[in-house]
Amino acid sequence: MGNITAKSSRLWAFLVATYWVSFVTYFLLWRGYKHVSELRADALMSPEVRPQQFAVLVRDLPDLPKGQSRKEQVDSYFKAIYPDTFYRSMVVTNNKEANKIYEELEGYKKKLARAEAVYAESKSAGKPEGTRPTIKTGFLGLLGKRVDAIEYYNEKIKEIIPKLEAEQKITLKEKQLGAALVFFTSRVAAASAAQSLHAQLVDTWTVSDAPESRELIWNNLNIKFFQRQIRQYVVYVIVALTIMFYMIPIGLISALTTLDNLKKILPFLKPVINITALKTVLEAYLPQIALIVFLALLPKLLLFLSKIEGIPAVSHAVRAASGKYFYFTVLNVFIGVTVGGTLFKTFKSIEKDPNSIVDVLANSLPGNATFFLTYVALQFFVGYGLELSRIVPLIIYHLKRKYLCKTEAELKEAWFPGDLGYGTRVPSDMLIVTIVFCYSCIAPLIIPFGVVYFALGWLILRNQALKVYVPAYESYGRMWPHMFLRLVAALLLYQITMLGYFGSKKFIYVGFLIPLPILSLIFVYICQKRFYKSFSDTALEVASRELKETPSMEHIFRSYIPLSLNSEKVDDDQFEDALSQASRSGSFVV
């Protein structure tokens, strides 16, 4: 499009193409939303027993009535509303100290297993008695008395177990918090409770779907309603400031990592940069590599910020972090590189004529297409190559296996590939969508690169998700509505970009593009009204499907007991002090 002169009649073709891209996107997004909705329903209708489908999470419990325990309060409240389907409740406790002792115990168990493996390995035909491993008991195993490792770890384990059991009793009796998990005997009752208003006041008896036990963020469950709201707004301000301050280094990176600028700033690199083969590679990939490395530092910060909002589940925190990361990458990588790089190159001309800034930015768009085309190519050549080969994890695994791992548990831990990493994977793909959208008409050559990127992604990531990575949680497609909104945001940015670019080309019929952003907003509204409710809540017709076996409610209940409180010797006597008069039929507090 950069080769088309201003006011040219050929601009009509690009205007039609803008409409074509928009309407094809609407069609595919509608089909996608419908398809994922059906997949979610099929998964939730599975006859398999899943504990989270029989439970709800209750937060913002009101102050205790006089003479009543927290357990009695929760049981009496839900028994009155659901007399036929209420099973029992589990009051959330402050497990910080119990978790600390439990982790210490597990650490000594791992060390004992390792010491026994070393001892077994030392036995040979010539020395059947072997050599018992020893350790120093002082600071970091470097100081102190040297003792037999196996005996020392056994003594420590025997010492810690009674300490953990005592802390479990204290936790269950004295450290109850203002949140609970409530269990029902049917999936329909749990689904109905999760989407019902239980109290007149919005900040009491807040009920929602229970996440899987493995993804609960226990520390967040006791955070009160208004505190969560305040935390959310504070985090939004921090993220906005992060985006603003990251604009400066991103812009500098895009400007300074060109070879010409590097020669000026670091003249001692000239002999290296002037090597022909190296110069070609650096010109093509240096700014992109610098940008990728710089962005790799960000996701952990955004996930941490999402968790401190008070979100109760890891999957929800990942979705929130992915949204923040998407807007960050679009504002800083796409807009930041485009605007920052252009302003750096043309600062003097803009200083002389500030009114020319719009024309300068518009004229720079076709030139920046080369950067983004290379960025997309680098992502699928290098990114997918590393993903498919997994060469770095393979090297790390073999180093650990040779020098560090002594037990089967250590080998499994070294091999464990983790999950797919949706928090960064999805925003990165959404950035590629945004780039390809915005340059699809301005520089159509980027479209084949986008097609190759997602075609390879479909083949490679599908294989990795099914055969390599181990899911950390299951949220039944709840990421899709967030992806849908990001895709429409990318489409809106594309439509606004084209509106501005046609304006810079002095195209008098640019007004024909004004309906497109309005159509996009209407399309979002219709899709959200039609589909979103089935993602935020479980439809009762879905929850009513029969199970292939009668669920064991005791097993469902115990699957939510935290590991630090799940003693091998656990029985109802251990929880006697926490039992209430209303729940002596079998409920206990955890």
Side-chain angles (χ1 to χ4, degrees):
M1 209 171 164
N3 298 321
I4 306 299
T5 58
K7 300 181 181 180
S8 172
S9 59
R10 293 184 179 183
L11 291 170
W12 273 106
F14 294 94
L15 188 143
V16 172
T18 305
Y19 266 90
W20 171 255
V21 170
S22 299
F23 279 96
V24 168
T25 304
Y26 297 148
F27 173 72
L28 293 176
L29 286 178
W30 179 273
R31 284 188 59 184
Y33 220 141
K34 186 178 179 182
H35 177 62
V36 178
S37 178
E38 291 169 355
L39 289 177
R40 172 176 165 81
D42 289 343
L44 290 172
M45 287 190 292
S46 169
E48 300 291 333
V49 176
R50 296 189 175 100
Q52 68 271 20
Q53 292 183 306
F54 292 85
V56 295
L57 174 62
V58 185
R59 306 171 80 181
D60 308 308
L61 300 183
D63 295 335
L64 280 173
K66 190 175 181 180
Q68 197 176 42
S69 71
R70 184 66 78 185
K71 178 72 175 176
E72 290 172 331
Q73 180 193 33
V74 176
D75 282 0
S76 61
Y77 185 84
F78 280 92
K79 277 182 178 178
I81 301 174
Y82 306 97
D84 299 325
T85 54
F86 172 75
Y87 176 65
R88 62 166 61 171
S89 65
M90 179 187 289
V91 177
V92 175
T93 55
N94 183 353
N95 305 332
K96 186 176 180 181
E97 189 61 32
N99 289 341
K100 184 179 177 182
I101 297 171
Y102 175 78
E103 287 169 6
E104 185 182 4
L105 175 63
E106 290 299 304
Y108 280 120
K109 285 181 178 179
K110 287 180 181 179
K111 289 176 181 178
L112 174 62
R114 181 181 177 85
E116 289 175 342
V118 170
Y119 177 51
E121 197 176 276
S122 69
K123 295 178 181 180
S124 61
K127 194 177 181 182
E129 70 279 4
T131 303
R132 291 180 71 85
T134 59
I135 59 161
K136 290 184 177 181
T137 58
F139 179 71
L140 295 177
L142 301 174
L143 304 173
K145 182 182 177 182
R146 184 171 289 279
V147 296
D148 184 289
I150 295 176
E151 291 180 2
Y152 176 76
Y153 293 139
N154 272 316
E155 288 173 6
K156 281 291 184 182
I157 290 169
K158 290 176 183 177
E159 178 186 319
I160 291 173
I161 287 175
K163 186 179 175 183
L164 176 61
E165 290 174 351
E167 180 58 35
Q168 286 174 343
K169 291 179 180 178
I170 294 171
T171 299
L172 296 169
K173 183 178 180 181
E174 302 176 3
K175 298 182 179 180
Q176 299 174 23
L177 302 176
L181 289 158
V182 175
F183 298 86
F184 297 88
T185 55
S186 77
R187 296 195 295 187
V188 174
S192 178
Q195 52 194 283
S196 300
L197 182 66
H198 285 79
Q200 284 287 101
L201 301 177
V202 72
D203 60 335
T204 57
W205 296 104
T206 305
V207 182
S208 60
D209 288 326
E212 289 181 307
S213 57
R214 59 180 172 172
E215 62 158 334
L216 272 169
I217 306 175
W218 293 95
N219 294 335
N220 285 354
L221 301 186
N222 192 45
I223 300 173
K224 297 297 182 183
F225 179 83
F226 288 113
Q227 191 179 352
R228 295 198 299 271
Q229 299 299 310
I230 293 169
R231 284 179 177 224
Q232 189 177 48
Y233 289 122
V234 170
V235 166
Y236 287 164
V237 171
I238 293 172
V239 171
L241 292 174
T242 303
I243 290 172
M244 289 170 62
F245 281 106
Y246 260 66
M247 284 285 285
I248 298 170
I250 287 284
L252 288 175
I253 284 175
S254 65
L256 297 179
T257 51
T258 61
L259 293 189
D260 292 337
N261 287 329
L262 282 177
K263 287 178 183 178
K264 293 175 185 176
I265 298 167
L266 304 172
F268 61 87
L269 292 178
K270 281 184 181 180
V272 178
I273 292 172
N274 287 332
I275 299 173
T276 306
L278 185 61
K279 183 178 180 180
T280 304
V281 174
L282 289 176
E283 281 181 339
Y285 297 115
L286 182 60
Q288 291 82 356
I289 291 171
L291 184 61
I292 290 169
V293 171
F294 192 73
L295 290 174
L297 304 174
L298 186 69
K300 290 189 181 296
L301 170 65
L302 296 179
L303 183 60
F304 169 76
L305 290 174
S306 297
K307 286 182 178 179
I308 64 174
E309 289 182 37
I311 290 171
V314 173
S315 61
H316 189 177
V318 169
R319 292 196 297 272
S322 73
K324 296 177 180 70
Y325 190 59
F326 167 74
Y327 290 115
F328 174 87
T329 53
V330 169
L331 289 170
N332 285 286
V333 178
F334 179 68
I335 297 176
V337 167
T338 302
V339 176
T342 302
L343 291 179
F344 192 88
K345 293 175 187 175
T346 59
F347 182 76
K348 289 185 178 179
S349 61
I350 292 173
E351 188 178 23
K352 293 177 183 177
D353 184 13
N355 294 327
S356 67
I357 187 168
V358 175
D359 290 334
V360 169
L361 289 173
N363 293 329
S364 71
L365 283 174
N368 285 324
T370 305
F371 173 88
F372 289 113
L373 191 147
T374 310
Y375 181 82
V376 175
L378 183 67
Q379 287 286 359
F380 68 72
F381 276 126
V382 178
Y384 284 146
L386 290 173
E387 177 61 54
L388 191 60
S389 64
R390 289 182 55 80
I391 189 69
V392 175
L394 184 66
I395 293 169
I396 293 172
Y397 167 72
H398 281 289
L399 288 174
K400 286 182 176 180
R401 182 179 180 181
K402 185 172 179 63
Y403 298 108
L404 299 176
C405 298
K406 299 296 182 182
T407 66
E408 285 296 320
E410 287 176 338
L411 278 173
K412 288 180 180 178
E413 188 178 345
W415 167 87
F416 189 70
D419 65 7
L420 191 60
Y422 294 98
T424 53
R425 181 84 62 186
V426 172
S428 298
D429 287 347
M430 295 299 100
L431 175 62
I432 302 298
V433 170
T434 305
I435 291 170
V436 175
F437 265 155
C438 290
Y439 283 95
S440 59
C441 290
I442 295 172
L445 187 61
I446 203 169
I447 295 175
F449 286 84
V451 171
V452 172
Y453 176 85
F454 286 105
L456 287 175
W458 186 84
L459 291 171
I460 294 170
L461 294 181
R462 188 170 181 268
N463 174 77
Q464 304 298 86
L466 293 174
K467 300 179 181 179
V468 177
Y469 292 111
V470 180
Y473 53 80
E474 177 56 70
S475 61
Y476 300 101
R478 278 184 167 169
M479 177 66 88
W480 169 254
H482 297 262
M483 294 172 63
F484 170 81
L485 289 177
R486 314 298 178 241
L487 289 165
V488 176
L491 184 64
L492 274 168
L493 181 60
Y494 157 68
Q495 290 165 347
I496 293 168
T497 301
M498 295 308 298
L499 195 63
Y501 194 62
F502 273 106
S504 71
K505 287 288 186 180
K506 308 294 189 296
F507 188 53
I508 59 174
Y509 299 106
V510 67
F512 282 102
L513 288 177
I514 293 175
L516 277 181
I518 299 170
L519 284 174
S520 295
L521 295 175
I522 294 172
F523 175 73
V524 171
Y525 178 79
I526 294 172
C527 285
Q528 294 294 83
K529 285 293 182 182
R530 180 177 174 84
F531 298 112
Y532 182 71
K533 189 67 175 173
S534 65
F535 283 84
S536 61
D537 299 314
T538 301
L540 297 185
E541 68 172 359
V542 170
S544 64
R545 291 299 178 95
E546 291 184 5
L547 297 169
K548 68 179 182 181
E549 60 184 33
T550 303
S552 168
M553 294 308 300
E554 188 64 20
H555 172 74
I556 289 171
F557 176 79
R558 289 184 176 273
S559 69
Y560 275 90
I561 299 176
L563 291 173
S564 59
L565 300 180
N566 198 2
S567 172
E568 294 175 1
K569 298 179 181 179
V570 83
D571 53 39
D572 283 346
D573 292 337
Q574 180 176 336
F575 300 92
E576 185 177 354
D577 292 334
L579 286 168
S580 67
Q581 188 174 0
S583 59
R584 291 185 189 274
S585 60
S587 300
F588 58 81
V589 179
V590 175

